[in-house]
């Protein structure tokens, strides 16, 4: 029997970290959990903080969200009350809360990446193809083009919202994600903010 997918939310306290911190965060998590690199069933959202100035994310009452199978809790719980170091800044994690995935007719991802999809036209085509492969009939809408640093390389992607989702498609898209680099905050969806009552960490 397949374990249900959940979100594990850790309170975060610390100073300012780079706004582009997906690779730094995953590296820090792997130092705490050496087996994380091989766990392709775990997605790591970028940290959420209170404000940004274009270069840094200020972690006042921040959160770290991990999307994972419920049976991975024992593997991830050693992160509770631990400290991570990102770009020389210490980040402290609290005790996590478990959240079920919520159905929503509109889902948004901060960043989605596809191989060789560097412009809006190619990205739109790739999005439609992968949504079809997932048997998802939602309507995608591209957002802001973003460039992130991953292991010294620049990777291009786009923010993405998918609307008109059935409850089944909504949960499927949240579980499976879209595109690659889920360890680095890419391709992970949450209910679109103005259509969701759930905490968007």
């Amino acid at each position: 029997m397949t374990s249900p997918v959940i979100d594990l939310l850790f309170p975060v306290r610390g100073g300012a970290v780079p706004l582009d911190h997906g690779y730094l965060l995953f590296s820090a998590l792997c130092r705490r959990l050496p087996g994380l690199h091989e766990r392709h069933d775990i997605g790591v959202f970028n940290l959420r903080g209170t404000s940004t100035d274009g270069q840094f994310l200020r972690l006042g009452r921040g959160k770290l969200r991990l999307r994972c199978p419920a049976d991975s809790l024992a593997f991830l719980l050693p992160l509770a009350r631990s400290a991570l170091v990102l770009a020389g800044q210490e980040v402290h994690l609290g005790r996590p809360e478990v959240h079920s995935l919520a159905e929503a007719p509109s889902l948004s991802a901060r960043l989605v990446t596809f191989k060789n999809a560097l412009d809006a036209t190619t990205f739109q085509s790739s999005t439609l193809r992968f949504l079809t492969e997932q048997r998802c009939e939602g309507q995608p809408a591209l957002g802001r083009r973003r460039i992130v640093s991953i292991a010294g390389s620049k990777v291009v992607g786009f923010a993405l919202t998918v609307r008109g989702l059935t409850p089944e498609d909504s949960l499927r898209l949240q579980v499976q994600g879209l595109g690659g680099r889920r360890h680095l905050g890419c391709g992970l969806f949450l209910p679109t903010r103005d259509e969701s009552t759930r905490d968007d960490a």
Side-chain angles (χ1 to χ4, degrees):
M1 184 175 179
T2 304
S3 178
V5 173
I6 59 170
D7 281 354
L8 196 61
L9 273 68
F10 292 85
V12 176
R13 300 291 181 269
V17 299
L19 192 61
D20 182 6
H21 63 263
Y23 181 74
L24 296 173
L25 175 60
F26 183 60
S27 298
L29 290 170
C30 285
R31 286 192 289 272
R32 284 287 174 188
L33 299 174
L36 181 60
H37 196 274
E38 287 72 43
R39 291 295 303 262
H40 300 295
D41 56 346
I42 296 175
V44 182
F45 286 79
N46 278 13
L47 294 170
R48 287 293 176 94
T50 55
S51 64
T52 63
D53 59 7
Q55 290 185 311
F56 292 94
L57 179 71
R58 303 193 182 282
L59 301 174
R61 293 175 140 187
K63 289 184 182 178
L64 167 65
R65 182 187 295 265
L66 303 179
R67 181 152 293 166
C68 56
D71 61 11
S72 66
L73 285 177
F75 172 73
L76 295 168
L77 282 179
L79 292 173
R81 300 188 182 279
S82 69
L84 309 175
V85 178
L86 278 72
Q89 293 289 330
E90 213 169 64
V91 173
H92 297 270
L93 305 182
R95 294 175 62 87
E97 296 179 352
V98 175
H99 288 239
S100 300
L101 300 186
E103 301 168 0
S106 177
L107 299 176
S108 296
R110 179 182 179 274
L111 179 65
V112 177
T113 64
F114 299 110
K115 188 175 182 180
N116 299 322
L118 305 180
D119 59 82
T121 300
T122 307
F123 183 89
Q124 178 81 0
S125 177
S126 297
T127 299
L128 291 170
R129 183 173 72 253
F130 281 99
L131 287 175
T132 298
E133 289 178 1
Q134 289 191 12
R135 304 184 308 282
C136 177
E137 298 181 359
Q139 295 85 49
L142 274 64
R144 177 181 170 188
R145 184 176 185 263
R146 299 179 186 272
I147 299 176
V148 297
S149 299
I150 298 177
S153 300
K154 300 295 184 182
V155 175
V156 175
F158 289 82
L160 183 66
T161 294
V162 184
R163 301 186 177 94
L165 294 164
T166 65
E168 295 79 11
D169 287 348
S170 178
L171 291 177
R172 187 183 305 117
L173 186 56
Q174 290 179 75
V175 168
Q176 297 182 1
L178 203 62
R181 304 181 175 93
R182 294 177 74 239
H183 279 160
L184 307 175
C186 303
L188 298 168
F189 287 84
L190 288 168
T192 303
R193 286 190 183 186
D194 60 359
E195 296 183 21
S196 171
T197 57
R198 121 181 192 174
D199 177 29
D200 186 1

